[in-house]
Amino acid sequence: MEFRYLGRSGLKISEISYGNWITHGSQVEEDTAVACVHAALDEGITTFDTADVYAGTRAETVLGRALKGQRRESLEIFTKVYWPTGPGPNDRGLSRKHIMESIDGSLRRLGTDYVDLYQAHRFDHETPLEETMRAFEDVVRQGKALYIGVSEWRAEEISAALKIAEERGFDRIISNQPQYSMLYRVIEQEVVPLCEREGIGQIVWSPIAQGVLTGKYLPGQAPPPGSRATDDKSGADFVKFWMRDEVLTRVQDLRPLAQEAGLTMAQLAVAWVLQNPNVSSAIVGASRPEQIRDNVKARGVRLEAELLARVDEVLGDAVIRDPAETRSPATRP
Ligand SMILES: NC(=O)c1ccc[n+]([C@@H]2O[C@H](COP(=O)([O-])OP(=O)(O)OC[C@H]3O[C@@H](n4cnc5c(N)ncnc54)[C@H](OP(=O)(O)O)[C@@H]3O)[C@@H](O)[C@H]2O)c1
């Protein structure tokens, strides 16, 4: 495995990390979840991403159990706060109350005294940013999180947080967690240039577009059994964004490019996001351990400029680039 600094911090993380959204506590049984985590560890992955909201908090519990017995210093455990974890008006968002309560719940479920990175899972338009940043600062001072980051924040939201940190002497954000893949590049125009200047690393989600970039979904055909597109608990709802024939057809046209590069389609997709030097890690998901073993072979791969240009040609206007697509709910969910 290769390791990269998370932004301008001293923290090194595996350039491929493992995330358990959709899968743990929902799509897959616990023995499969544990087998995926163990496959990740065997392949040298040390960085694990989850969130309080995943599978109604069960995903953190499953990850905590799967990592039990590992040397804590050899792991980087990331979680997040913002989306609802209960029925009440304060069981969501980035108020001081919810941040302070949610971090304790996450630590309990994960079975650890601290997380390495605590992330704001969206921007909360209903809470003063200074309140959020001060609460994060206190979480860090209490030793419950070592670093703080954000997810899906716009460039101007990240700038505003950096300004408050500067003025108040708070710890700075070191990371952003956006969606990024060959098909979804909305961070390239505004977020990445800002983050490069400010020393913030991207930990990117759905680098394989939830499985779509493996090429296993064929245009005009039913999705393969057992795939996310058939998961009626929640997976199908999320992946349906990509399940359009014009996208699936273009993805099939990537197949010869992957073959020429000596990569599987999934490896090409992961390697593609890792070519961006502002990316600190690609968070891959897996519903079975073989997928992890396949996908990690993207580590250390360098793709030629000519191949990258052909990827752009093949995908054409199926690629989403508008920075305005990065947005958090106007009111708390
Ligand atoms: N911050 C945020 O708002 C946010 C949002 C979403 C995700 N995330 C993070 O990003 C992580 C990864 O997201 P993701 O799961 O969508 O990532 P992904 O790596 O793009 O997709 C993973 C899914 O693709 C399929 N797949 C992967 N490798 C495959 C292979 N070699 N062959 C066939 N199918 C394969 C599997 O689904 P099936 O086998 O079921 O088809 C797997 O669960 C999450 O766990 C979470 O930590 C963050």
Side-chain angles (χ1 to χ4, degrees):
M1 182 54 62
E2 300 202 3
F3 293 82
R4 297 185 181 193
Y5 286 106
L6 185 48
R8 209 185 283 147
S9 78
L11 179 67
K12 279 200 157 182
I13 64 175
S14 50
E15 67 173 14
I16 298 175
S17 44
Y18 176 76
N20 73 354
W21 175 58
I22 304 272
T23 52
H24 294 190
S26 181
Q27 184 193 5
V28 305
E29 296 299 329
E30 185 148 340
D31 53 348
T32 306
V34 172
C36 287
V37 169
H38 288 176
L41 290 165
D42 291 346
E43 295 293 340
I45 289 176
T46 59
T47 306
F48 293 85
D49 183 75
T50 186
D52 56 358
V53 68
Y54 292 169
T57 73
R58 288 187 304 280
E60 286 184 328
T61 306
V62 173
L63 183 64
R65 283 203 285 257
L67 290 172
K68 200 163 186 216
Q70 301 297 319
R71 182 175 176 267
R72 181 65 185 85
E73 295 85 341
S74 304
L75 302 172
E76 300 83 45
I77 301 176
F78 299 174
T79 195
K80 319 186 193 79
V81 56
Y82 170 84
W83 294 101
T85 50
N90 288 312
D91 294 324
R92 60 203 68 214
L94 299 176
S95 68
R96 180 175 188 82
K97 177 171 169 65
H98 186 53
I99 288 174
M100 290 304 177
E101 290 169 350
S102 198
I103 185 67
D104 286 341
S106 290
L107 295 179
R108 199 170 49 245
R109 289 185 291 270
L110 286 162
T112 182
D113 297 334
Y114 64 93
V115 289
D116 296 272
L117 182 73
Y118 200 42
Q119 303 160 100
H121 209 160
R122 288 298 181 268
F123 188 85
D124 180 355
H125 291 282
E126 292 189 34
T127 302
L129 185 53
E130 177 149 357
E131 174 178 336
T132 297
M133 299 313 292
R134 195 177 283 279
F136 273 132
E137 172 69 10
D138 288 346
V139 166
V140 172
R141 297 278 82 82
Q142 290 171 358
K144 294 175 181 175
L146 305 186
Y147 298 93
I148 51 170
V150 298
S151 173
E152 291 292 336
W153 281 28
R154 301 170 75 117
E156 61 268 27
E157 293 162 349
I158 295 173
S159 291
L162 291 173
K163 187 161 175 278
I164 290 174
E166 172 91 32
E167 285 168 2
R168 306 277 175 217
F170 295 164
D171 274 16
R172 283 164 61 93
I173 291 164
I174 63 162
S175 63
N176 178 44
Q177 186 178 130
Q179 180 175 179
Y180 188 50
S181 70
M182 286 192 265
L183 285 167
Y184 199 87
R185 309 188 193 175
V186 306
I187 56 171
E188 286 181 348
Q189 229 174 294
E190 296 177 0
V191 169
V192 166
L194 170 79
C195 289
E196 276 174 341
R197 280 198 306 279
E198 296 290 350
I200 292 170
Q202 311 298 321
I203 312 161
V204 305
W205 60 266
S206 297
I208 315 171
Q210 303 191 48
V212 167
L213 285 167
T214 65
K216 69 181 175 181
Y217 298 114
L218 301 173
Q221 292 193 26
S227 61
R228 185 172 294 185
T230 64
D231 169 38
D232 53 14
K233 287 194 200 114
S234 71
D237 254 1
F238 284 103
V239 74
K240 78 169 181 244
F241 180 79
W242 295 116
M243 302 296 280
R244 287 170 277 129
D245 279 0
E246 62 273 26
V247 173
L248 302 182
T249 304
R250 286 178 186 267
V251 168
Q252 289 306 312
D253 294 339
L254 290 172
R255 204 171 280 284
L257 277 61
Q259 267 159 7
E260 277 173 46
L263 301 169
T264 65
M265 299 270 281
Q267 290 159 5
L268 174 67
V270 177
W272 186 91
V273 298
L274 291 173
Q275 305 307 299
N276 184 327
N278 191 228
V279 170
S280 298
S281 187
I283 321 172
V284 298
S287 69
R288 50 204 88 158
E290 311 81 84
Q291 295 174 347
I292 287 281
R293 292 193 200 103
D294 177 13
N295 302 347
V296 292
K297 297 201 178 75
R299 62 192 158 211
V301 168
R302 297 284 161 265
L303 300 176
E304 300 296 331
E306 191 252 334
L307 178 88
L308 296 174
R310 283 169 63 207
V311 166
D312 293 352
E313 248 169 64
V314 165
L315 293 179
D317 56 17
V319 177
I320 298 173
R321 298 176 186 274
D322 183 0
E325 290 297 321
T326 300
R327 52 176 172 254
S328 298
T331 56
R332 278 190 209 156

